[in-house]
Amino acid sequence: MENETMTKTIAEAFVKAQMDFEKTGLDSTNPHFRNDYASLAACIGAVKDALNENGISLIQKTHECDTGVKVETIFLHESGQTMSGGILKLPAEAETPQKYGSALTYARRYSLLAACGIPPESELDDDAEMTRKKEEKPQQKKVTRTPPPAKKL
């Protein structure tokens, strides 16, 4: 019974907080792809005040991963209860600090949005746009045929 009551406390607080989550807004522009996206700061800003007002803090924990990054979004209630959004694993394009940092930031944004039930403002953000372009097949040129001239009788 005590465990059920404890789980109910963080759940009730999270529901109240979720009612006050804001839209993330597209506050950044990727100069390479020239598209707008919600930065990590905008994503955190959309939920942090509502979480804190309901006694919940936000933790984003990294986990060991040889092929990329793993991020877990955890909500810690003032009662001591925690709730995890699960672990999100993303590959890093290359083993450089810049690619790792980009993958980590991307994972943190999407882990947070998924855990909070917030859809991203943009269907394609900076990293997703790059992935989409790599997966696209080149379009074939459309051939239009001109009908032969009508024969005179």
Side-chain angles (χ1 to χ4, degrees):
M1 181 78 167
E2 183 179 318
N3 192 21
E4 184 180 317
T5 304
M6 288 183 68
T7 304
K8 187 176 179 183
T9 303
I10 192 169
E12 287 175 349
F14 188 80
V15 169
K16 287 178 185 175
Q18 195 174 44
M19 288 189 261
D20 292 328
F21 289 166
E22 299 174 10
K23 290 185 178 182
T24 56
L26 304 177
D27 67 334
S28 298
T29 301
N30 181 319
H32 184 70
F33 295 109
R34 295 186 186 100
N35 64 306
D36 295 332
Y37 65 97
S39 68
L40 177 58
C43 294
I44 291 172
V47 300
K48 188 175 179 184
D49 287 345
L51 288 169
N52 292 163
E53 288 170 8
N54 287 281
I56 302 171
S57 65
L58 168 67
I59 301 165
Q60 289 194 295
K61 180 179 175 181
T62 58
H63 295 269
E64 248 185 82
C65 182
D66 293 335
T67 58
V69 297
K70 287 183 180 179
V71 173
E72 179 180 13
T73 297
I74 301 168
F75 303 102
L76 173 62
H77 189 259
E78 59 193 12
S79 67
Q81 300 168 357
T82 61
M83 185 170 69
S84 172
I87 298 173
L88 175 66
K89 178 184 176 190
L90 288 177
E93 190 174 306
E95 292 183 20
T96 66
Q98 293 80 10
K99 297 293 182 181
Y100 176 82
S102 177
L104 181 60
T105 300
Y106 184 87
R108 287 185 65 198
R109 284 191 343 239
Y110 277 85
S111 175
L112 177 60
L113 293 174
C116 290
I118 299 174
E121 285 290 316
S122 172
E123 289 294 321
L124 299 170
D125 67 12
D126 55 341
D127 299 314
E129 178 74 10
M130 184 174 16
T131 301
R132 183 184 65 81
K133 287 189 177 204
K134 284 181 183 178
E135 292 173 352
E136 277 184 353
K137 294 180 183 176
Q139 291 185 354
Q140 294 181 357
K141 290 185 177 180
K142 203 174 193 179
V143 178
T144 54
R145 297 181 139 198
T146 307
K151 291 184 183 179
K152 292 184 181 180
L153 294 176

